[in-house]
Structures are given as structure tokens and as C-alpha cells.
């Protein structure tokens, strides 16, 4: 059985993951509006990943005798100054998510809730990967200074990304 505190924190994070997905979908719409369909594809795959993260928390809450509660999702931004600015926003957002996962982990450790610790380890690893993959794209964008040719190549590369639900 989860403590009320951990149940609330996981619920809040589940809703935040949905919000993350919403931001990525808005970024996808921004990139589609620029006809950068590969960049948009990358964002839309990320949207699916975030919903998977939320779904995993939903299932965990149920498994541990808790209940998922859905809240209002704030509206994401519509536009960004540039493609690079959108990815920089994504990186800042992922750093916030990492901090939030760490906060839940700290409470689980304090409460000797080993099951939640084990559950959250997946998210700790996932955040390392999420931050690194966004950072790698920002580095490429900086290197090419968002030049036409570079953008064309990167758009092609990001267009190949597909969503595969990780094993639960
Ligand atoms: Fe769910 O990791 Fe991104 O936000």
C-alpha cells in the first residue's frame, strides 16, 4: 500500500507527464507548420513516450492500492523563436522532470518504500537518456547554425524515429 504522500506525488507526476506530452505535441505542430516533418516526427514520437510514462504511473498506482486522478492540463506554448529554442525549452523541461522524479525518490527512500524506489529507478534511467538525446540535437543545431543543408539532413535523420513501447 502506498502512503498518501507518495500516492499524491505519483499522481502529480502522472499529470505532469501528460503535460510533457502536450508540450511535445505543440512543438510538433510548430515544426509541422515550418514543413520540418522529420523534426515534427521526433516531437510526436516524444509525445507518445510521455503518454507511456504517464500510463506506467497510472498502472503502478492501481497495482499498489492507489487511484489515478486526472487534473486539468495547462495549455502549452504555440510558437518558439526557432527550432533550436524549442529544443532548448525541451531540455529545460526535462531537467525539471528529472528534479521531480528525484523528489519522489527521496520521499520513497525516507519512507522505506522499496517497491516505489524500484519502480522509480526506471524513470531515473529514462531521464538520463531523455536529457542526453535532446542535448545531442541542440549540439547539432548549434554546430550547423540551423543552415538550410544541415537542417535538411537532420530533418531526414529525425524523421526515422519510431515509437516502440518499452517492456513494462
Ligand atoms: Fe517523461 O520524460 Fe520527458 O518529460
Amino acid at each position: 500500500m502506498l502512503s498518501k504522500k507518495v500516492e499524491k506525488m505519483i499522481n502529480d507526476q502522472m499529470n505532469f507527464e501528460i503535460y510533457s506530452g502536450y508540450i511535445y505535441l505543440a512543438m510538433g505542430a510548430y515544426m509541422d507548420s515550418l514543413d520540418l516533418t522529420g523534426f515534427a516526427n521526433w516531437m510526436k514520437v516524444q509525445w507518445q513516450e510521455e503518454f507511456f510514462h504517464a500510463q506506467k504511473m497510472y498502472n503502478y498506482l492501481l497495482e499498489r492500492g492507489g487511484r489515478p486522478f486526472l487534473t486539468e492540463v495547462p495549455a502549452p506554448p504555440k510558437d518558439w523563436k526557432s527550432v533550436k529554442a524549442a529544443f532548448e525549452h525541451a531540455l529545460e523541461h526535462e531537467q525539471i522532470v528529472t528534479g521531480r522524479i528525484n523528489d519522489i525518490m527521496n520521499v520513497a527512500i525516507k519512507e522505506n518504500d522499496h517497491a516505489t524506489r524500484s519502480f522509480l529507478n526506471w524513470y531515473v534511467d529514462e531521464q538520463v537518456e531523455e536529457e542526453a538525446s535532446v542535448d545531442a540535437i541542440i549540439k547539432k543545431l548549434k554546430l550547423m547554425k540551423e543552415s538550410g543543408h544541415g537542417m535538411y539532413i537532420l530533418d531526414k535523420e529525425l524523421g526515422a524515429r519510431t515509437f516502440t513501447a518499452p517492456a513494462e
Side-chain angles (χ1 to χ4, degrees), residues 64-119:
R64 298 287 317 281
R67 192 185 150 180
F69 287 105
L70 295 163
T71 59
E72 204 171 341
V73 184
K78 284 193 199 72
D79 286 306
W80 287 264
K81 229 173 51 216
S82 63
V83 169
K84 183 162 74 68
F87 276 94
E88 281 165 348
H89 178 190
L91 182 58
E92 275 165 33
H93 184 81
E94 289 306 335
Q95 286 162 345
I96 292 170
V97 173
T98 300
R100 293 174 63 103
I101 297 289
N102 289 344
D103 288 346
I104 312 173
M105 181 66 106
N106 289 339
V107 173
I109 290 169
K110 216 161 130 196
E111 292 188 0
N112 280 326
D113 181 349
H114 300 297
T116 299
R117 281 177 53 184
S118 169
F119 172 71

Side-chain angles (χ1 to χ4, degrees), residues 137-155:
I137 296 171
I138 294 172
K139 283 188 178 128
K140 284 183 185 169
L141 287 167
K142 279 186 181 155
L143 210 65
M144 68 171 76
K145 299 193 169 61
E146 298 188 64
S147 74
H149 184 66
M151 289 297 275
Y152 176 76
I153 304 282
L154 190 53
D155 192 60

Side-chain angles (χ1 to χ4, degrees), residues 40-50 161-163:
N41 172 66
W42 192 95
M43 289 294 176
K44 287 183 276 188
V45 170
Q46 194 58 35
W47 163 48
Q48 290 174 286
E49 287 227 347
E50 298 302 347
R161 187 183 188 199
T162 54
F163 174 70

Side-chain angles (χ1 to χ4, degrees), residues 10 14 53-63 68 70 119:
I10 295 178
M14 176 188 73
H53 298 168
Q55 190 189 325
K56 204 172 155 68
M57 288 181 174
Y58 180 106
N59 292 340
Y60 182 70
L61 285 165
L62 291 176
E63 271 170 11
L70 295 163
F119 172 71

